Amino acid sequence: MRTWYRTTIGGLPRLYWYLWTGMLINRVGGFVALVLSLYLTSARHLAIPVAGLVVGLYGIGGIAGVLLGGVLADRWGRRPTLLLAHFGAVAVLAGLIVARPIPAIAVLAALLGMMHAMPGPAFVAAIVDVTPADDRSRAFNLQFWAFNLGMAVASVLAGALAEVSFTLLFAVDAAGTLLTALLILGKVHETRPAHRATATSAGGLHTALTDRAYMLFVGLSLLLAVLSTQTSTILPLAITADGLRPSAYGSVVAYAALLIVVGQLFVPRLIGRWRKGTALAVANVLLGLGFAAVSLADGILGYLAAATVWTAGSMIAAPPNAAVIAELSPEALRGRYQSVFYLTFPAAGFIAPAAGGVSLQYLGAWHWIVCGALGLIAAAGHLLIQPARERRVAAQLAAAEEFAVPVGG
């Protein structure tokens, strides 16, 4: 029996903290994507449409990386997938430092998007593997906190390094990625359950895509993602339309990030006794109300007040969201189920600006009321599917316990 991840620190397995540290380092150093368009236009002197196309290739690579990462995490294992993605990203970043032809930069941008997206399903599947079910909510809450802390630090570093040297920026990003790879190589063992390691007939991506209970949850999660993506797509347009300076938008985003860093650690105690569907319903209501409040905002204080509400919703949603995915994912297909869920982010990244831009143009402030309605619809959906999902999870646990009982035991 393997016991290498049984030692706990702060009530969570030691291996979880290695994974957590790797994600934090990687996120702090992962700032190339934040300034890729700036690099292409200022350092490589590409026209804005061409730079936009290259950045779009990064996004397409990300979609492929999510799916590939989920499949490889189940077939090869979590550790090989993480090592391939991180060492591969180091190589691609090194290539971007020296690449000059536009076609080469475009190919490398797509590969970087793939390598950056691949670790997500493997990281989360590994956390599920090693963390007891009762501790997963806290584990995912800490993961969400680390992600946002890393993003906040990365944003500051990206701006500072871009003003000094893009070559230095790429080199520091590669160094952080390499450090994560070495941490995984030295400290992270394979976590894929041994008795499932050879389960080649357990299903594939189609299993997740045809899982009605899971896809209903993913659909509702897509609504949440579309709402959350308003902050990076449509909100800047609304703020500037009110005559505020771009720095006002930066202040709102920084304030929201600060709220998460300060408040996220208290969320598990707040929602610890709530049913997961109930917590997700409350989260979507707060997200909806927060964005609906933007319709009333015409100054920085109004936007900060609205950000307080929608950020509270984001914080409450993170732990139960991840825990539900873990509950519904078959053990042998955890990576694939995670990859299907991760597709909601690039999908929201397309839907939010495409539909939101049209909505804002023709509906004006009513666009934010529509966002509020979407939050209420998602909340109602979570409450409606909660009983059936809980029955399924209970049945899966009962079946697992029956399977675990030795014959004649």
Side-chain angles (χ1 to χ4, degrees), residues 6 44 177 242 290-291 308 333 344 382 389:
R6 301 301 182 188
R44 291 290 166 258
T177 305
D242 280 334
F291 286 113
T308 302
L333 300 175
T344 61
H382 279 294
R389 190 188 70 245

Side-chain angles (χ1 to χ4, degrees), residues 219-375:
L220 293 173
S221 298
L222 177 59
L223 290 180
L224 184 147
V226 168
L227 287 176
S228 299
T229 309
Q230 299 295 313
T231 57
S232 59
T233 56
I234 307 302
L235 185 67
L237 303 177
I239 289 178
T240 54
D242 280 334
L244 299 175
R245 297 171 60 86
S247 60
Y249 170 69
S251 298
V252 173
V253 173
Y255 171 72
L258 179 63
L259 282 180
I260 292 174
V261 171
V262 173
Q264 190 67 45
L265 297 179
F266 300 97
V267 169
R269 182 176 299 179
L270 172 65
I271 67 173
R273 296 183 180 275
W274 297 6
R275 296 164 69 185
K276 296 179 181 68
T278 302
L280 288 168
V282 171
N284 278 277
V285 168
L286 289 173
L287 275 164
L289 290 177
F291 286 113
V294 173
S295 64
L296 303 175
D298 57 3
I300 185 64
L301 292 180
Y303 283 103
L304 291 176
T308 302
V309 180
W310 80 59
T311 303
S314 296
M315 289 192 291
I316 291 174
N321 213 28
V324 168
I325 300 167
E327 288 178 342
L328 293 177
S329 304
E331 192 175 73
L333 300 175
R334 280 175 180 161
R336 291 173 172 88
Y337 269 62
Q338 288 291 340
S339 67
V340 170
F341 172 77
Y342 268 76
L343 285 176
T344 61
F345 300 110
F350 171 76
I351 294 171
V358 175
S359 174
L360 187 67
Q361 179 177 353
Y362 291 100
L363 298 180
W366 282 95
H367 164 79
W368 302 106
I369 303 301
V370 172
C371 289
L374 288 178

